[in-house]
Amino acid sequence: MSSRKDHLITSSSEPLPVIIIGNGPSGICLSYLLSGYTPYVKPAAIHPHPLLQRKLTEAPGVSILDQDLDYLSEGLEGRCQSPVALLFDALLRPDTDFGGNVESVLTWRHQKERAISHVVLGRNLPGGAWHSIEGSMVTLSQGQWMGLPDLQVKDWMRKKRRGLRNSRATAGDIAHYYRDYVTKKGLSHNFVSGAVVTAVEWGTPEPSNSGAQDPSPLFQVSGFLTTKDQSQQPFSLCARNVVLATGTFDSPARLGIPGEALPFVHHELSALEVATQVGAVTPASDPVLIVGAGLSAADAVLYARHYNIPVIHAFRRPVDDPGLVFNQLPKMLYPEYHKVHQMMREQSILSPSPYEGYRSLPEHQLLLFKEDCQAVFQDLQGVEKVFGVSLVLVLIGSHPDLSFLPGAGADLATDPDQPLSAKRNPIDVDPFTYQTTRQEGLYAVGPLAGDNFVRFVQGGALAVASSLLKKENRKPP
């Protein structure tokens, strides 16, 4: 690690082939693929999907990275829009959506001659945002879905003598697993923790002497490293390709109403954890107001209920809106989220509560917060309601922070006139290379490209690795 850091501080002038910004699951998976770990189909494997099985037999002995990902992924269906994400998931977990547990059809070979030199820059330890989630929270996805190639979570947990609860792991386990993965797979020398990127710039490609344009511009990546003694050292690196893998947890979405900056209004679940631990909110306090109808809001409701803290739960949509995430989760796998949904449905503010200490306010809009800890709402009929609260958590999603890009990355979005959003307006990428459509050599993976679940971010890494290998092989010696 220190040698890579020293190399960063000295900021070499020789451009790196690849810089990856972000060290969460997408960045780790891409580092694995760029380190020469190469997926092949096991010689005797039979994939349960007949069309895919037929295609896999057409190029025996050829690595998946060297095959036509567009052709292989054609005709696959699943819980994701990205064809390559569905393909890689189908190869790693052949029938998981049908409750099966057919072994992966892939085998991994470490071919050092195929490795592409790269650096992974991350603010935290490897694992990214997983290190900032309350450690005891149970993950939304099944534990096995959080796994990265060639190290199953359940095998890792068994060695750690931890069990999966309802086949789900805690966030703390998963963060630990990602750190372990980087060490076990020998990737540590590519990772630089404590690195904050402040600017990424690129020029227009220079015409060469022959008059032909070199299509690949050079990227300048600058920022600072926080050292052990907490001092900040600037760095500046040059790269031929940059991969954006920063996720979207950087900047919580806001309501944009008066009083939102008051000290009792917060935008992350950790504020409730702290307030509970120091005794600022108790079962005898005024209710905690939780705003939002997604999984973060549900986590906050579950957390407050666990400590018997009274809750008012407000959200703008109707409870049976098909767009609500609860209406898309299988009940068997997510009993606690379905419990929250049931509470939201059965407990409006007007009826006597079947759930002590919980009130829901569906289809209510917040108008303002007052300094004396009051929240003012308006219902569908235009009636205003005022509630005294002890703490407010506004959990309505988050936006990626791409302030280090020119124009904060706005012109890279699918609709450049709207704010960048993982769910509604991701970065526009080619579906088979994940290169941005607006800039040669700039790639985006994970939530930035619209892939929001760990099991599906890995397909983006496969697409990028395949594209970069083809580029590097084309370079003149």
Side-chain angles (χ1 to χ4, degrees):
M1 177 69 92
S2 60
S3 64
R4 184 46 70 101
K5 281 207 168 182
D6 297 342
H7 164 74
L8 259 190
I9 307 285
T10 54
S11 300
S12 83
S13 54
E14 181 59 30
L16 284 155
V18 186
I19 291 176
I20 301 166
I21 303 173
N23 64 0
S26 303
I28 297 172
C29 186
L30 181 54
S31 175
Y32 178 72
L33 293 167
L34 294 181
S35 297
Y37 287 96
T38 310
Y40 290 85
V41 176
K42 290 175 190 164
I46 304 286
H47 198 285
H49 191 294
L51 178 61
L52 181 55
Q53 169 60 21
R54 199 192 75 219
K55 291 177 182 175
L56 292 173
T57 57
E58 290 170 8
V62 179
S63 153
I64 296 293
L65 285 167
D66 300 327
Q67 294 196 41
D68 180 342
L69 299 180
D70 185 349
Y71 173 64
L72 284 182
S73 58
E74 203 178 358
L76 293 176
E77 292 178 352
R79 305 176 180 185
C80 171
Q81 302 303 307
S82 157
V84 183
L86 288 172
L87 169 67
F88 202 26
D89 189 60
L91 296 170
L92 290 168
R93 290 169 274 269
D95 62 348
T96 188
D97 277 340
F98 304 103
N101 51 4
V102 172
E103 285 282 298
S104 169
V105 298
L106 297 180
T107 181
W108 293 86
R109 294 185 208 157
H110 194 196
Q111 300 174 308
K112 290 188 176 139
E113 71 281 4
R114 292 176 63 108
I116 295 176
S117 178
H118 62 282
V119 170
V120 185
L121 304 175
R123 290 168 181 255
N124 303 323
L125 295 166
W130 285 92
H131 289 287
S132 49
I133 300 169
E134 154 64 24
S136 62
M137 284 283 174
V138 177
T139 62
L140 167 63
S141 296
Q142 291 193 63
Q144 68 198 31
W145 291 354
M146 316 306 286
L148 296 173
D150 205 30
L151 177 59
Q152 290 208 10
V153 171
K154 63 174 191 280
D155 298 340
W156 177 84
M157 298 276 278
R158 203 175 295 129
K159 289 209 171 80
K160 296 275 173 215
R161 294 188 168 73
R162 290 204 192 51
L164 288 172
R165 197 169 102 202
N166 290 352
S167 79
R168 315 240 303 279
T170 67
D173 287 333
I174 297 301
H176 189 169
Y177 162 84
Y178 291 140
R179 273 174 59 193
D180 248 21
Y181 185 92
V182 169
T183 313
K184 278 190 163 53
K185 297 296 182 188
L187 310 177
S188 299
H189 63 284
N190 299 315
F191 281 73
V192 180
S193 298
V196 175
V197 173
T198 53
V200 176
E201 290 152 320
W202 55 88
T204 46
E206 296 283 317
S208 64
N209 297 340
S210 64
Q213 255 203 1
D214 175 5
S216 47
L218 281 182
F219 294 84
Q220 192 76 29
V221 178
S222 335
F224 59 84
L225 275 176
T226 305
T227 56
K228 282 204 171 99
D229 60 4
Q230 295 308 302
S231 65
Q232 292 181 346
Q233 288 184 279
F235 67 82
S236 180
L237 294 165
C238 213
R240 291 196 290 275
N241 300 279
V242 168
V243 183
L244 304 172
T246 52
T248 66
F249 286 99
D250 293 317
S251 149
R254 296 180 182 266
L255 294 163
I257 62 170
E260 195 168 5
L262 287 167
F264 64 92
V265 181
H266 302 272
H267 295 82
E268 52 278 316
L269 177 54
S270 53
L272 177 58
E273 291 159 15
V274 171
T276 310
Q277 283 154 14
V278 302
V281 298
T282 68
S285 305
D286 277 339
V288 168
L289 170 62
I290 296 166
V291 184
L295 297 171
S296 303
D299 281 337
V301 169
L302 291 166
Y303 187 91
R305 302 278 298 159
H306 180 74
Y307 289 100
N308 293 320
I309 290 162
V311 170
I312 294 175
H313 184 191
F315 42 98
R316 287 197 305 202
R317 298 195 200 184
V319 179
D320 49 8
D321 186 321
L324 278 189
V325 69
F326 306 104
N327 293 318
Q328 301 162 20
L329 295 176
K331 276 201 172 93
M332 292 290 288
L333 289 179
Y334 305 104
E336 72 278 47
Y337 288 126
H338 277 279
K339 184 71 184 167
V340 172
H341 193 207
Q342 188 184 346
M343 287 160 58
M344 289 161 67
R345 184 186 291 112
E346 292 178 13
Q347 177 43 58
S348 76
I349 201 81
L350 304 171
S351 56
S353 171
Y355 301 104
E356 190 71 30
Y358 173 90
R359 289 269 158 80
S360 81
L361 293 176
E363 300 181 86
H364 278 61
Q365 189 167 351
L366 261 163
L367 300 180
L368 71 147
F369 298 112
K370 294 181 169 180
E371 286 186 9
D372 56 355
C373 289
Q374 289 194 321
V376 183
F377 289 90
Q378 189 173 44
D379 68 13
L380 279 180
Q381 284 70 47
V383 177
E384 286 194 10
K385 301 174 185 174
V386 183
F387 296 97
V389 296
S390 58
L391 184 86
V392 178
L393 292 181
V394 178
L395 301 172
I396 53 173
S398 56
H399 299 300
D401 175 8
L402 295 177
S403 55
F404 55 84
L405 290 178
D411 56 340
L412 299 173
T414 308
D415 177 353
D417 297 328
Q418 295 298 318
L420 197 65
S421 147
K423 292 198 171 63
R424 285 175 291 284
N425 191 27
I427 291 178
D428 194 20
V429 296
D430 177 294
F432 300 103
T433 64
Y434 278 63
Q435 186 165 252
T436 61
T437 54
R438 315 273 200 286
Q439 178 58 52
E440 170 82 27
L442 185 64
Y443 294 80
V445 289
L448 292 176
D451 296 340
N452 289 298
F453 284 104
V454 172
R455 67 183 273 207
F456 293 127
V457 304
Q458 300 171 43
L462 180 77
V464 174
S466 169
S467 167
L468 290 170
L469 277 160
K470 290 184 179 86
K471 269 189 193 177
E472 288 298 305
N473 291 340
R474 275 201 305 267
K475 278 209 339 269

